[in-house]
Amino acid sequence: VGQIDALLSANNEAFFAEKDQLLAAGLDVSAFITVDDSGARHQGRNGYVTQIGNDFFAWFSSTESKSRINFLQLLQAGEPVYCLNDEALTYWRDQGLPRALCQAL
């Protein structure tokens, strides 16, 4: 059992890099995507798997979180990008976000 586990879980860096490239390429060429996540307990701890894809590609990631922040980090495919455009600034003003926080952001 230990040898099988070692074979399946060791030296996966190239596989994970290719998996992340698949997500980036899929997002670049897709007009739409679907997203789903599912949770399960294993050895007394919650775990989640998130699926991002469409009819042409599927990407999966297992994490310990189901938060919106976690999902956005997965969706960014390891390349964090944040964009503050006019629409975001208008939304902040409409929602009454404190001026000091707007300036800090």
Side-chain angles (χ1 to χ4, degrees):
V1 172
Q3 290 176 333
I4 292 173
D5 184 55
L7 288 171
L8 294 174
S9 62
N11 302 317
N12 289 329
E13 294 81 16
F15 170 75
F16 288 124
E18 183 177 347
K19 180 178 76 99
D20 289 340
Q21 290 173 354
L22 171 69
L23 176 60
L27 294 173
D28 283 344
V29 301
S30 297
F32 71 93
I33 59 168
T34 60
V35 177
D36 193 14
D37 54 29
S38 180
R41 291 188 60 77
H42 179 65
Q43 295 181 346
R45 296 176 53 202
N46 290 333
Y48 304 93
V49 63
T50 301
Q51 180 274 330
I52 300 173
N54 60 25
D55 291 342
F56 302 105
F57 83 99
W59 181 88
F60 298 86
S61 181
S62 296
T63 63
E64 295 180 0
S65 175
K66 190 178 175 175
S67 71
R68 291 180 183 180
I69 297 287
N70 179 67
F71 169 71
L72 291 174
Q73 289 172 337
L74 294 175
L75 190 59
Q76 291 174 352
E79 303 278 333
V81 176
Y82 302 96
C83 177
L84 298 178
N85 56 22
D86 290 335
E87 187 176 338
L89 298 175
T90 300
Y91 178 80
W92 289 356
R93 276 190 231 101
D94 292 347
Q95 296 299 311
L97 195 67
R99 186 174 208 69
L101 186 53
C102 289
Q103 290 174 343
L105 291 170

